[in-house]
Amino acid sequence: MKSLDIHKSEYLKQFENQVYGRNLFRTQEEERLDAPNEECGIFGLYSDNDLDTFSLSQFGLFALQHRGQEACGISVLKEGRITNMKDEGLVLDVYKDIQEPETFMGNSAIGHTRYTTAGDKKKYNFQPFFAKNEYDQIILSIAHNGNLTNAKELKAELEAEGVVFRATSDSEVILRLIQKNLDLGLRGAIKATMEKIEGAYSVVGMTRNKFFAFRDFNGIRPLVLGAIDEKSYVVASESVALDAVGAQYVRDILPGEIIYTNENEPGKLHSYMMDEAKGKQRICSFEYIYFARPDSTLENINVYEIREKSGEKIWEQAPVEADLVIGVPDSGVPAAIGFSKASGIPFRPVLIKNRYIGRSFIVPTQEMRERVVNLKLNPIISEMKDKRVVIIDDSIVRGTTSKRLVKILKDAGVKEIHFRSVSPPIIAPCYLGIDTPSKDDLISANMSTEELKNYLGVDSLEFLSIDNLKVILGSSNHCFGCFTEEYPVGKGEEVELFN
């Protein structure tokens, strides 16, 4: 039997040159409907010297591809001029279409990768966003991850002052507020903006001579800082993007912190805390369960270790007699390894992943769409037939993917199926940067665990408890809103921000 340490090593190594796929059982449609979707990934790079910002930004954004697959964009600063490019598609496809890479080589770059959404896919909503002066020159560009809960009223205020909006995204509210206040200086403009906006936001940006990043007062969305050398800095949604460009992790940007450069001190990064008393650590707990890549470190906590511990903890919480434990690739595998370690039940990677398949095929019928899943993952029937199997998954949202997974196992001849979710029941939508289904569509908000067990057709079903999740994370200083319906900030109006 192959050791669990070897399984772990092989599991993590694959993401060095492949895109991390959270749940490969989901069809492309289900990735939108039966899963919480991260808004985006952001990346920023600054150096006192000229760098190959074209390649480095590409590497950094590719490492964040799991946070968004709809569109990608970059802004690059070169000799006081900002150039912007953004388009629909995956990172490598968008970069492949750039005809003159040297145009995107300078000393600073920011980038954004956007998630697949059911909403407005117009190009004007792709990021980075930028603002121009009267000479049609870009003077400011930003990329944003999160969601503003008071964007609608702020947009109305700005429009009353004559500000014209070109997109239907709350991120443009941040851009226009900074632009409006630039006469206060860059730091003053960001400070004035942070005093107005509410919700969750991690932002990276640049002017024609400065680089900056800032994070909301609760630190809900992640943002990490790294360094390539003493005068070259990187900011990203996750530490894997630092690894991709050869930067060393320095620390997480603090809640309520602004970091920025000054043209009078090239190569030096400054920090300003808005209000230390107001700053709280409330990073999204679902980042550790589902969103982040397993080889990332957020708030000095290794994501893989958290997921493995979640498997150990759910074994303690809900032990069961079984012959085999499997994890749904990719996000469920670390927890399955942890469950195996704690229980002694053998772990087997019996859901074989096709390494050469990317996005789902474009097919017209639901029957054919479901067959695509069998191209992504194929079960080794001989390993499972007549066995008692524990299946570990990261979460259950609408339940449609879980139900089909159970059918696949039953068709493979599994004797018993024991389902374990290493997140607590998701009972509420997120208003702080995650696209989740409405409460009416969240199956755990409308069924008891026993009812859900019967709906899925499994022999037992257990969810990791909130208390055990807090034990694993080491504190209660996280956002647990989707599990408790209690949020670090007010959720604002439950309406579309922009029509």
Side-chain angles (χ1 to χ4, degrees):
M1 175 180 166
K2 189 185 288 186
S3 77
L4 293 175
D5 287 339
I6 294 174
H7 280 305
K8 172 184 175 181
S9 176
E10 290 178 348
Y11 170 78
L12 291 174
K13 190 170 181 59
Q14 65 181 312
F15 306 123
E16 294 176 6
N17 52 28
Q18 295 181 52
V19 173
Y20 172 60
R22 288 160 175 155
N23 188 317
L24 299 179
F25 266 103
R26 293 187 175 114
T27 63
Q28 188 167 357
E29 180 71 2
E30 285 168 341
E31 287 176 359
R32 178 173 68 82
L33 294 176
D34 192 29
N37 282 293
E38 174 61 52
E39 288 288 344
C40 57
I42 60 174
F43 176 84
L45 171 69
Y46 169 83
S47 178
D48 187 32
N49 307 308
D50 285 343
L51 293 174
D52 183 356
T53 46
F54 174 85
S55 298
L56 293 175
S57 60
Q58 181 179 192
F59 299 160
L61 288 171
F62 178 77
L64 299 173
Q65 183 74 88
H66 59 287
R67 298 183 79 88
Q69 297 89 44
E70 180 194 336
C72 165
I74 56 169
S75 289
V76 174
L77 176 63
K78 182 178 183 179
E79 297 175 351
R81 179 185 176 192
I82 298 174
T83 303
N84 184 276
M85 180 281 305
K86 48 191 175 181
D87 206 351
E88 188 172 8
L90 301 175
V91 172
L92 298 186
D93 293 333
V94 171
Y95 273 79
K96 182 176 64 178
D97 290 338
I98 295 176
Q99 300 299 313
E100 299 178 350
E102 60 275 7
T103 304
F104 294 91
M105 293 185 185
N107 72 305
S108 185
I110 63 171
H112 184 276
T113 183
R114 175 183 166 97
Y115 88 122
T116 303
T117 175
D120 195 340
K121 294 187 177 184
K122 302 294 186 186
K123 190 171 181 178
Y124 52 64
N125 278 330
F126 300 168
Q127 297 191 41
F129 283 132
F130 56 85
K132 291 184 175 182
N133 62 14
E134 63 270 30
Y135 305 107
D136 202 37
Q137 299 167 328
I138 299 176
I139 58 169
L140 171 69
S141 183
I142 69 161
H144 164 227
N145 173 24
N147 186 58
L148 303 187
T149 56
N150 65 337
K152 187 178 181 181
E153 64 181 72
L154 292 176
K155 178 175 182 277
E157 286 179 16
L158 289 166
E159 285 180 325
E161 296 171 6
V163 175
V164 176
F165 282 78
R166 303 185 183 280
T168 58
S169 167
D170 60 339
S171 303
E172 192 180 5
V173 173
I174 299 174
L175 176 81
R176 299 304 174 193
L177 282 169
I178 296 174
Q179 180 186 14
K180 171 190 170 183
N181 290 290
L182 278 176
D183 58 337
L184 301 174
L186 177 63
R187 192 182 79 180
I190 297 171
K191 184 174 181 290
T193 298
M194 292 178 71
E195 288 170 347
K196 295 277 286 184
I197 59 179
E198 298 172 3
Y201 51 89
S202 287
V203 177
V204 62
M206 62 170 70
T207 65
R208 291 190 290 181
N209 55 10
K210 300 182 184 75
F211 173 85
F212 62 90
F214 57 96
R215 195 174 177 200
D216 71 75
F217 292 100
N218 290 286
I220 296 166
R221 304 263 64 84
L223 197 60
V224 299
L225 172 66
I228 297 176
D229 55 44
E230 291 182 354
K231 292 190 175 183
S232 302
Y233 307 100
V234 182
V235 173
S237 293
E238 294 182 34
S239 63
V240 287
L242 310 183
D243 302 334
V245 299
Q248 295 295 311
Y249 169 80
V250 175
R251 62 176 176 84
D252 291 73
I253 293 174
L254 301 174
E257 182 181 18
I258 306 169
I259 65 165
Y260 60 99
T261 61
N262 185 321
E263 70 272 26
N264 298 320
E265 299 175 273
K268 185 175 181 180
L269 200 63
H270 300 266
S271 169
Y272 176 80
M273 288 299 300
M274 283 285 292
D275 184 345
E276 291 191 23
K278 192 175 178 182
K280 298 175 183 177
Q281 192 55 266
R282 294 291 185 270
I283 188 171
C284 170
S285 58
F286 221 69
E287 287 284 350
Y288 296 97
I289 295 167
Y290 181 74
F291 291 123
R293 235 174 72 168
D295 44 351
S296 283
T297 297
L298 302 174
E299 309 294 347
N300 293 311
I301 299 175
N302 181 268
V303 173
Y304 180 91
E305 291 179 4
I306 290 296
R307 292 180 185 170
E308 190 173 289
K309 286 178 182 177
S310 71
E312 296 173 1
K313 188 58 74 173
I314 203 165
W315 159 254
E316 294 176 12
Q317 179 185 315
V320 65
E321 290 187 8
D323 305 306
L324 190 69
V325 57
I326 61 178
V328 178
D330 285 317
S331 56
V333 172
I337 290 174
F339 192 96
S340 178
K341 277 186 177 179
S343 67
I345 300 170
F347 165 77
R348 293 282 194 276
V350 296
L351 300 174
I352 302 302
K353 177 180 174 182
N354 185 334
R355 296 177 180 274
Y356 300 99
I357 195 167
R359 304 292 291 160
S360 295
F361 293 92
I362 300 171
V363 288
T365 66
Q366 179 61 25
E367 179 187 356
M368 290 298 108
R369 283 194 291 272
E370 291 192 4
R371 287 196 185 186
V372 171
V373 175
N374 292 59
L375 295 177
K376 292 181 181 179
L377 288 167
N378 197 36
I380 303 177
I381 293 175
S382 61
E383 289 277 356
M384 294 190 284
K385 188 175 175 60
D386 298 324
K387 300 283 180 65
R388 300 169 298 174
V389 173
V390 180
I391 180 73
I392 307 289
D393 206 351
D394 52 72
S395 59
I396 300 176
V397 184
R398 288 176 182 253
T400 52
T401 309
S402 303
K403 190 173 179 67
R404 192 176 68 249
L405 170 55
V406 170
K407 181 181 184 301
I408 289 171
L409 296 182
K410 286 185 174 180
D411 289 346
V414 170
K415 182 180 178 182
E416 293 180 11
I417 301 173
H418 302 277
F419 205 111
R420 298 292 182 266
S421 167
V422 288
S423 82
I426 299 172
I427 63 167
C430 176
Y431 303 93
L432 300 171
I434 306 304
D435 182 30
T436 48
S438 68
K439 193 175 179 72
D440 289 343
D441 293 322
L442 293 170
I443 200 162
S444 290
N446 297 282
M447 284 189 187
S448 68
T449 300
E450 182 65 21
E451 289 171 330
L452 183 51
K453 176 181 83 73
N454 294 332
Y455 168 78
L456 296 177
V458 295
D459 295 277
S460 71
L461 169 67
E462 292 287 345
F463 292 88
L464 187 71
S465 70
I466 284 280
D467 288 342
N468 279 335
L469 178 57
K470 291 177 180 178
V471 168
I472 294 164
L473 293 171
S475 78
S476 299
N477 296 330
H478 296 79
C479 177
F480 300 103
C482 54
F483 310 129
T484 64
E485 215 164 358
E486 297 175 1
Y487 307 93
V489 294
K491 62 186 180 182
E493 295 182 72
E494 295 184 41
V495 294
E496 290 293 327
L497 289 175
F498 307 108
N499 295 319

